[in-house]
Amino acid sequence: MRFTPTELTGPELDLQTEVREFLAAELPPGAHEPCLGMAADHDREFSAKMAARGWVGMALPSRWGGSDRTAVQRFIVVEEMLRWGAPVGHHWVADRQTGNVILKFGSDEQRERFLPPICRGELGFSIGMSEPDSGSDLASVSTRAERADDGWVVNGTKIWTSNAHMNDWFICLLRTAPMEDGNKHAGLSQFLIDLQSPGLEISPIPFLDGSHHFNEVTFHDVFVPDVNVVGQPGMGWHQNTTEMAYERGGPDRWLSPFSTVEQLLREAAGTPMEDAVSDLFGELAARWWGIRNLSLSVARLIDEGEAPSVESALVKEMGTRYEQEVVEKLVQLIDEEYSPESESLFERLLAQCVVTFPGNTIRGGTIEILRSVASKGLQGLPA
Amino acid sequence: MSVRIAPEPVVVDELITETAGRLFGELCTHEAVQAAEDSGGAPDIWEAFCETGFDLIAVPEEAGGSGGTLAEAIEVLRLVGYHSAPIPAAENGILGGWLLAQAGLERPDGLVTVVPPRAADGGWSGGETCSVSLNGDGTAVLSGDAHRVPWARSAETVVCVCGFDGTSTVVSVPASECTITPLPNMAGEPRDTVSFDGATGRAAPAPHGVDADALAQRGALSRVALMAGAIEKMCQLTVSYTNERVQFGRPVARFQAVQQHLVWAAQDAALVRMAAEVAAREATRGDAPFEIAAAKLVANQAAARATKACHQAHGAMGMTQEYPLHHFSRRLWSWRKEYGSDAHWSAVLGQMATGVGADGLYPLITSGTAALA
């Protein structure tokens, strides 16, 4: 394991400037309600504007509608969007992972069908992994897809599915053959399922603060055509593990509270600041600088053809814990009794952080699972 | 053609890493490091180190040094930390050697050490417990006590800097003119008290950019490099030990509760090495007050977490002198306090962060010192 320091090249710095100028014009600071990282608002119009700049699906090949850009270039766009609190929710999943999965494992027909609209910022994807009895032990999923003429018939339930009520498509890990003794990873397959399919029922699972992100998605004899199977039936576990690697180590795992911290500094301008508050800004800037350099080096490794899965797991585990630490430090220092309806934007954001950030160390693989992946890598064992 | 220009890359010659790593790997055995602690020095290791020229790396050749970049000197210091080499590599080279070369003072034979600046007493590296008076003829008389001077007992020359930027003066005093009282840090490294008692030294004006603040930054950078090496080695010891130590019929590294310590320590090792390398890169190019301050604060905090994790994973074995973990953990606890505590660097960074304001905060994180201009 080695994180090699890297820095942005001239053209990469120009991209950073371009993104900052775009954001300053689209979402002037202080005049928009920032989102907290990747748990961002869904705004098809904003996604389309980003896509028009070539910033959605940007690392995908131009042959399929992408921009042939690098992981580092995508890192630059994503970090600026997230630190600004931009509404990137609609294209988020497709841009980060589903596009990559379809490119890597899908058929040419699927690439033709899905990748250009993903790159236009049109398609929103949900991820179908968790089930009532399958969370961290993902290989135990039991929602079944059974063979039918020209396709498959799906029955079962997926839960805690983010934004299924707003998205268009569902990439699902389903069981296509019974669990084998000694090989629980066999018999799983990945499917692309239209969220408008007959027999597919979406019902809200209210989030702890009453908001609607999570859903229960129930399949009653939902027909999925053969052309929507991703890769080879039975190879779902391997494909899914590859997909998870795209989820890890990026700016979305350490930037979620940034807009809250920035807003505190904005609201504090012009008034005397206690030393403890000033010191905290310094401390947070230092830690973010360090973690960002690690995360950026992971993106560079990907561009160099490496598969830095241990490094990504280490950054994600550290970054998500850091996000919670930032919030805790703010909470310790702030006298006000903030609430989601405070007059101050900073206080509203902080209240939202307090209530929703326990999920940051859970989503996309709990930190306990990440530690197991990372420590096997540290010991030179297969993950 | 891009509008924004990326700076030239800073490259460290791999031969330096290889040579220094091999040298320390052979000489800095657990026993040798322990013996140096017991006797207060390791002249044989220092001599072998000097034969490679690493003792004066990054000191310009025209000033009698070995040449090379600051980044290369920092890489050597990282290896000093990795092997807990019991030698004053930073004091003799990029701190004391640098001050003498900058002021154009002759470099006497033998080991050079530096009086570390006290954060609270800007302008005078000796702190408020001693003072200097300049004679105007290129000499200066020092009085009072300077504290926590590394390896003063083995040094031939004690160097300090006083005054503010533009008007500061470097003073070089023969150690033989001073009374030295030995004092160890928590790792048993010499951090002695130097009583000047009217000692006379040679004085020369320092050029722009060389003052107590600049020394404080270089000193902090040196500690970050040492700490990066020590944390990395401490993590490697911990992975090995937990794979060998069998309890309940399996290596303890198989237990999730132990894996947590391995992962957390590995993160801090990676974080501090990254901080050290990025800060060294920027300091090689020019002023890097943000990167150095951020690196030292990050290293201080990481040292606290990583020593805790590694000790916990080692159990009672890590609490014994016979096992080498303490060479690293005790150094980390000591270096954390040298050249700036957490509180000091948080305050410095807080001034920078609040100074750039809300719209400048993220550019500070991405561009560092360049965003302060």
Side-chain angles (χ1 to χ4, degrees), chain A residues 75-316:
Chain A
F75 178 102
I76 292 164
V77 171
V78 165
E79 76 166 334
E80 293 298 327
M81 291 293 156
L82 295 176
R83 68 103 165 175
W84 212 278
V88 292
H90 173 63
H91 66 266
W92 180 257
V93 167
D95 174 68
R96 185 182 62 187
Q97 59 198 87
T98 322
N100 290 304
V101 171
I102 294 171
L103 176 70
K104 199 171 169 72
F105 300 111
S107 62
D108 271 358
E109 190 273 337
Q110 287 168 342
R111 292 174 184 146
E112 184 63 53
R113 188 166 146 219
F114 289 101
L115 298 184
I118 282 176
C119 297
R120 290 194 300 270
E122 290 169 7
L123 294 186
F125 276 77
S126 285
I127 303 167
M129 293 192 195
S130 294
E131 297 181 4
D133 295 320
S134 302
S136 288
D137 182 13
L138 185 61
S140 70
V141 293
S142 61
T143 296
R144 285 166 300 122
E146 291 175 319
R147 256 292 168 213
D149 286 346
D150 301 328
W152 303 76
V153 173
V154 181
N155 279 288
T157 303
K158 293 287 178 184
I159 56 168
W160 309 317
T161 307
S162 293
N163 306 312
H165 60 300
M166 291 190 281
N167 285 330
D168 312 289
W169 285 87
F170 201 18
I171 183 160
C172 264
L173 185 68
L174 303 177
R175 183 155 289 289
T176 45
M179 215 185 256
E180 287 172 18
D181 275 348
N183 183 9
K184 60 198 265 186
H185 298 155
L188 295 168
S189 308
Q190 269 186 316
F191 289 81
L192 293 162
I193 301 176
D194 188 338
L195 282 165
Q196 307 299 319
S197 301
L200 188 148
E201 189 188 332
I202 299 168
S203 42
I205 300 174
F207 217 47
L208 71 175
D209 59 357
S211 59
H212 184 186
H213 307 287
F214 277 169
N215 296 279
E216 179 178 274
V217 182
T218 313
F219 299 89
H220 308 281
D221 290 330
V222 173
F223 177 77
V224 184
D226 271 330
V227 294
N228 285 16
V229 177
V230 184
Q232 292 302 309
M235 291 302 289
W237 180 260
H238 166 70
Q239 293 171 203
N240 199 80
T241 309
T242 309
E243 176 179 351
M244 302 278 281
Y246 293 113
E247 278 200 48
R248 293 174 181 157
D252 41 322
R253 302 305 182 178
W254 43 268
L255 267 177
S256 308
F258 183 80
S259 51
T260 308
V261 172
E262 187 192 272
Q263 185 60 24
L264 174 62
L265 188 51
R266 185 167 286 118
E267 292 183 17
T271 54
M273 188 181 289
E274 284 174 43
D275 284 349
V277 180
S278 170
D279 294 359
L280 178 60
F281 282 117
E283 185 186 339
L284 298 181
R287 249 323 241 303
W288 259 314
W289 166 81
I291 293 176
R292 177 184 182 272
N293 272 298
L294 290 177
S295 186
L296 178 62
S297 81
V298 171
R300 194 70 86 190
L301 279 176
I302 290 170
D303 285 334
E304 287 165 1
E306 306 276 322
S309 58
V310 177
E311 289 84 351
S312 308
L314 280 179
V315 172
K316 182 182 167 189

Side-chain angles (χ1 to χ4, degrees), chain A residues 328-378:
Chain A
E328 176 56 24
K329 284 176 188 291
L330 291 173
V331 167
Q332 286 175 5
L333 272 184
I334 300 304
D335 277 334
E336 285 74 14
E337 290 184 37
Y338 38 83
S339 98
E341 298 186 16
S342 291
E343 231 177 89
S344 137
L345 173 56
F346 161 70
E347 290 181 30
R348 290 199 298 279
L349 291 171
L350 181 57
Q352 211 182 321
C353 289
V354 169
V355 173
T356 61
F357 277 22
N360 294 15
T361 47
I362 297 166
R363 57 189 179 183
T366 65
I367 52 174
E368 286 76 12
I369 294 293
L370 293 173
R371 284 175 202 152
S372 159
V373 171
S375 76
K376 282 176 190 153
L378 293 175

Side-chain angles (χ1 to χ4, degrees), chain B residues 271-285:
Chain B
L271 187 64
V272 179
R273 183 159 178 189
M274 178 62 76
E277 291 181 342
V278 174
R281 180 184 78 202
E282 296 308 316
T284 301
R285 288 172 174 157

Side-chain angles (χ1 to χ4, degrees), chain A residues 35-50:
Chain A
C35 310
L36 296 176
M38 65 167 145
D41 292 348
H42 286 235
D43 182 338
R44 285 175 189 259
E45 202 186 321
F46 187 80
S47 293
K49 280 183 187 166
M50 277 184 65

Side-chain angles (χ1 to χ4, degrees), chain B residues 158-173:
Chain B
V158 179
V159 178
C160 50
V161 59
C162 57
F164 293 97
D165 191 22
T167 59
S168 60
T169 303
V170 176
V171 183
S172 161
V173 187

